[in-house]
Amino acid sequence: MKIKIFLGILVSVLIGIFFFSTKKKQKEGNILFYNTIEGVGRDSSATGKEKELLELCKVWGAIKYHSSDPDLLQTIDSSLIRNYNKIIAGGTDFNTTISQIIPLSSTNKTTADKHYIGFFPDKNWIENSPFIHENDKKKLIHFITQSYHYSESKLVTAEENGELNFENDSLFYDESKTTPAKRFLALCKLWNIVRYYYPYFQTISGAWNDIFFEMLPLFINAENEQEYYSAVQIFGARLKDSHVAVKMGDSDEYEGKYVGNVVLKTLEERTFVKGYIVNSIKSALQKGDEILSINGKNIVVIQDSLKEKNSGSNEIVLRRDINRLLLLSKKKTAELQIIRRNKIIKIHEQLTYINTARGAEEKEYKSNAGKAVSEIIDRNIGYIRINDIFSGNFRVSFEKIRNSKAIIFDLRAYPNEIAVDFLKYFDNRPFQTMNLYRADIHYPGMMRTIENEIHIPSSKKKSYNRPVVLLINEYTQSQGESMLLAMKSIKNSVTLGDYTAGTNGNVMVITLPGKTKIRMSGIGVLLPDYAATQRTGIKPDILVQETPVSLLKGEDIQLKAAINHINKKL
């Protein structure tokens, strides 16, 4: 397991989706669904001014992300700031404000796609709005429907591999200080990008207006940049997406801090030590220790306080990510109260300077180059961890275990690299790994399938055809989940363990005013049968879940179950 993963750094940059075939220009895929939002009724508990600000945010977002007019795209953000200030100051007619910002559509475009003229499944919020004048409703709908396929010059673009690019949407990013108006712009940008481009928006769409009202005071009333940064974190937490991470400024927020070297797991409100991150870094904690408090604070209280600003695809994964932060400190030591062998004791855990920890991780990684990282366990069972292998050492690792009666691949960690070439050593079967989709840049809100030709290499003549067990749990995330789906092509393979993280897809990066960036999932992933995995994870064939008793004993019951499964099968 990587130090960077442990710290939650790599959670923000997991690229998840991998394209093993030659990259090709994306073809237009099938329409899966269209993101829609609800209108704001007069019976909402929000104030009239808050409703007007939401309506302004919606109209601005519809114009900005549908438009292909370069001049308009250069001025639309400044227009939002001016109109926000007008509404806050009062004395301005809302309908006049809206009418002035909706541009007139040109009808003599020759590149328009006739098939989509008038296509707009998400117009109910406009037609039913009690705040927008009827003439402005018609003008706005006309602008949106006429905008489809006018040109390639949309603000958001797509790379050939399907990833969305928001680099052209970065006004006011380099200014270190923000104002309430610019923070309102940041909120509107986030709110609209999620509703138009976030692949998993449908899971949160019903509450999306309420999210705006909840976030509004946090953004515009932030008294300093740190409070603004916290507001962006809280917004990200509402996505329930473990790819979410927020970065403020140019500095690394982990620089100058110290970290622990233990892997913690929480079950039934109890937190246990279940392993270590880097073998060369010592720890006073032992497997099976139960943590009660850190520096005099109850561990449950600390964990709950971290929930507000951290995004997890489900409760287990959220706890996992929070636990990575518990021993992150500006101090060199941490005082812990623990239970060890039924006795409550206090220990002082020596923390490691972050750069030292990263250096030890890198050294350990490089030491595996060209070496066999596999081993033989129990009665002639090959065992290999996915985070130890890469294309440069798999051949020698496989040679060591090729005559074993079965092989256990431990996928309960993040892979070192994107590679499935090693599958040629196994007896494989044709297997569709997954279905991918993302937002269509020409029709914001529309989700389309994209090409996903993952090349699973042909098996060697004397390929391995004995049982293979794929061990998985909540640490099998993103790229690890994609690797798992590819490895399910191995004949005689079975998955065993717990549900995976349910956080797959690449990441998209959004820049905000005030040198702030946020990352979130950018490509949607569905199983071959189009079942969703986001937030739920991939279900193992054989479910084996850890328990407080197994953690207390420091016992790996999933590995033990895999060994028992093989021995019974053979």
Side-chain angles (χ1 to χ4, degrees):
M1 187 168 312
K2 300 293 185 185
I3 283 287
K4 291 180 183 177
I5 296 178
F6 173 71
L7 294 175
I9 299 173
L10 283 187
V11 169
S12 69
V13 296
L14 300 180
I15 60 175
I17 298 303
F18 54 112
F19 300 88
F20 299 103
S21 58
T22 303
K23 291 181 181 180
K24 302 176 181 178
K25 185 174 179 60
Q26 289 294 320
K27 296 179 181 178
E28 191 174 72
N30 298 322
I31 299 174
L32 286 181
F33 53 87
Y34 199 99
N35 289 346
T36 60
I37 56 172
E38 298 177 353
V40 180
R42 295 187 182 278
D43 57 346
S44 170
S45 60
T47 66
K49 187 166 290 187
E50 289 171 339
K51 293 176 183 178
E52 288 184 352
L53 289 175
L54 174 57
E55 216 72 344
L56 173 65
C57 175
K58 289 180 178 180
V59 172
W60 167 85
I63 295 170
K64 176 173 181 173
Y65 294 108
H66 284 87
S67 177
S68 296
D69 185 339
D71 294 333
L72 177 62
L73 294 176
Q74 286 294 319
T75 60
I76 189 70
D77 286 7
S78 297
S79 172
L80 181 72
I81 289 174
R82 288 194 303 271
N83 286 301
Y84 165 82
N85 288 327
K86 287 180 181 178
I87 291 174
I88 292 298
T92 183
D93 179 68
F94 180 73
N95 277 304
T96 301
T97 299
I98 293 297
S99 182
Q100 290 174 346
I101 66 174
I102 302 174
L104 293 174
S105 298
S106 174
T107 58
N108 60 355
K109 299 281 188 176
T110 58
T111 56
D113 187 333
K114 301 297 184 182
H115 181 68
Y116 284 100
I117 296 301
F119 172 83
F120 188 25
D122 190 32
K123 63 182 177 180
N124 285 342
W125 70 270
I126 301 174
E127 293 175 331
N128 297 326
S129 172
F131 306 99
I132 303 177
H133 192 276
E134 290 300 320
N135 288 336
D136 292 329
K137 291 178 181 179
K138 294 177 182 179
K139 189 168 70 168
L140 181 58
I141 291 173
H142 181 69
F143 171 81
I144 293 172
T145 56
Q146 290 288 314
S147 72
Y148 292 142
H149 265 294
Y150 276 165
S151 72
E152 295 292 330
S153 59
K154 298 288 187 181
L155 186 64
V156 179
T157 59
E159 304 294 338
E160 287 189 355
N161 64 0
E163 296 182 11
L164 297 179
N165 187 322
F166 294 84
E167 288 184 3
N168 295 328
D169 190 11
S170 58
L171 291 180
F172 306 110
Y173 169 74
D174 290 327
E175 300 176 11
S176 57
K177 296 293 183 180
T178 59
T179 63
K182 288 179 181 176
R183 293 193 294 273
F184 176 71
L185 168 65
L187 173 59
C188 290
K189 186 173 180 179
L190 281 175
W191 194 88
N192 279 285
I193 283 178
V194 170
R195 79 84 129 210
Y196 282 127
Y197 302 102
Y198 187 57
Y200 304 115
F201 176 70
Q202 285 196 329
T203 61
I204 53 177
S205 60
W208 205 231
N209 288 333
D210 295 333
I211 293 294
F212 177 89
F213 294 132
E214 178 190 359
M215 295 295 116
L216 181 62
L218 299 181
F219 275 74
I220 64 176
N221 296 332
E223 295 186 358
N224 51 53
E225 299 311 304
Q226 185 59 47
E227 287 190 7
Y228 166 50
Y229 173 67
S230 296
V232 178
Q233 288 180 304
I234 294 171
F235 180 98
R238 297 300 180 268
L239 300 182
K240 295 184 178 180
D241 178 356
S242 293
H243 274 154
V244 167
V246 182
K247 180 178 173 61
M248 181 176 69
D250 301 320
S251 62
D252 182 345
E253 65 175 301
Y254 298 98
E255 285 298 329
K257 293 186 179 180
Y258 298 81
V259 296
N261 189 44
V262 288
V263 180
L264 304 175
K265 173 127 185 193
T266 300
L267 285 176
E268 299 177 7
E269 299 297 313
R270 301 170 67 187
T271 301
F272 303 89
V273 176
K274 65 173 292 184
Y276 306 98
I277 302 164
V278 179
N279 294 329
S280 60
I281 298 178
K282 295 182 180 180
S283 172
L285 290 163
Q286 299 177 6
K287 288 183 180 181
D289 287 346
E290 181 179 354
I291 314 295
L292 300 179
S293 67
I294 300 175
N295 295 325
K297 294 184 179 179
N298 182 278
I299 190 170
V300 175
V301 174
I302 299 174
Q303 290 167 327
D304 288 344
S305 69
L306 290 170
K307 278 186 175 182
E308 183 183 34
K309 297 179 183 178
N310 286 275
S311 191
S313 51
N314 55 57
E315 185 66 23
I316 292 176
V317 178
L318 178 59
R319 286 286 191 183
R320 179 204 70 185
D321 294 342
I322 286 173
N323 286 342
R324 291 167 172 163
L325 305 174
L326 293 177
L327 293 177
L328 177 67
S329 174
K330 293 181 179 180
K331 298 181 179 179
K332 296 182 179 180
T333 60
E335 183 180 85
L336 289 84
Q337 186 180 55
I338 66 171
I339 298 177
R340 178 180 292 169
R341 289 185 282 275
N342 297 321
K343 292 183 179 180
I344 298 178
I345 62 173
K346 286 186 177 181
I347 65 169
H348 285 82
E349 175 75 343
Q350 189 72 31
L351 305 180
T352 305
Y353 184 56
I354 179 64
N355 289 342
T356 302
R358 287 171 174 169
E361 172 212 8
E362 185 68 17
K363 183 178 179 180
E364 189 170 289
Y365 171 78
K366 288 182 178 179
S367 69
N368 288 332
K371 295 180 181 179
V373 293
S374 58
E375 58 183 300
I376 297 294
I377 61 175
D378 195 68
R379 291 170 286 176
N380 195 28
I381 297 175
Y383 173 79
I384 188 167
R385 299 188 307 167
I386 197 69
N387 56 316
D388 285 336
I389 67 171
F390 45 91
S391 56
N393 72 352
F394 185 79
R395 185 184 61 80
V396 293
S397 300
F398 178 72
E399 288 297 326
K400 185 175 179 179
I401 59 176
R402 71 176 306 145
N403 294 319
S404 59
K405 67 180 182 181
I407 293 177
I408 297 173
F409 272 103
D410 196 335
L411 278 73
R412 299 174 298 174
Y414 196 75
N416 273 322
E417 64 180 44
I418 299 172
V420 291
D421 187 57
F422 65 83
L423 289 178
K424 66 187 177 185
Y425 293 97
F426 296 86
D427 190 6
N428 296 319
R429 58 192 169 92
F431 187 81
Q432 182 188 1
T433 58
M434 54 191 164
N435 294 296
L436 307 182
Y437 67 94
R438 64 158 170 79
D440 188 314
I441 59 170
H442 299 294
Y443 317 107
M446 179 190 292
M447 296 293 158
R448 284 188 182 273
T449 58
I450 59 176
E451 287 183 346
N452 177 34
E453 296 180 7
I454 297 178
H455 172 64
I456 296 176
S458 300
S459 304
K460 287 179 172 289
K461 289 183 179 180
K462 294 183 179 180
S463 57
Y464 192 89
N465 59 6
R466 296 170 190 145
V468 173
V469 176
L470 307 175
L471 268 184
I472 61 174
N473 68 359
E474 72 273 13
Y475 282 91
T476 311
Q477 174 173 310
S478 194
Q479 184 174 311
E481 290 174 293
S482 297
M483 289 284 286
L484 167 64
L485 290 172
M487 293 176 72
K488 285 170 72 70
S489 67
I490 299 174
K491 291 181 181 179
N492 298 320
S493 67
V494 63
T495 55
L496 184 149
D498 208 344
Y499 284 83
T500 63
T503 308
N504 211 340
N506 74 331
V507 295
M508 55 187 186
V509 182
I510 295 101
T511 59
L512 302 173
K515 291 189 174 181
T516 300
K517 293 185 178 183
I518 183 172
R519 297 176 173 92
M520 62 188 72
S521 294
I523 289 179
V525 180
L526 301 172
L527 292 177
D529 63 357
Y530 285 89
T533 64
Q534 188 79 359
R535 296 192 179 185
T536 58
I538 300 170
K539 182 181 179 180
D541 299 317
I542 303 172
L543 182 64
V544 179
Q545 297 178 308
E546 293 176 300
T547 66
V549 173
S550 69
L551 292 171
L552 191 62
K553 291 180 179 179
E555 180 182 35
D556 189 342
I557 60 171
Q558 291 168 341
L559 178 57
K560 185 177 180 180
I563 293 171
N564 289 339
H565 170 76
I566 290 169
N567 288 331
K568 287 180 181 179
K569 187 177 182 68
L570 300 177

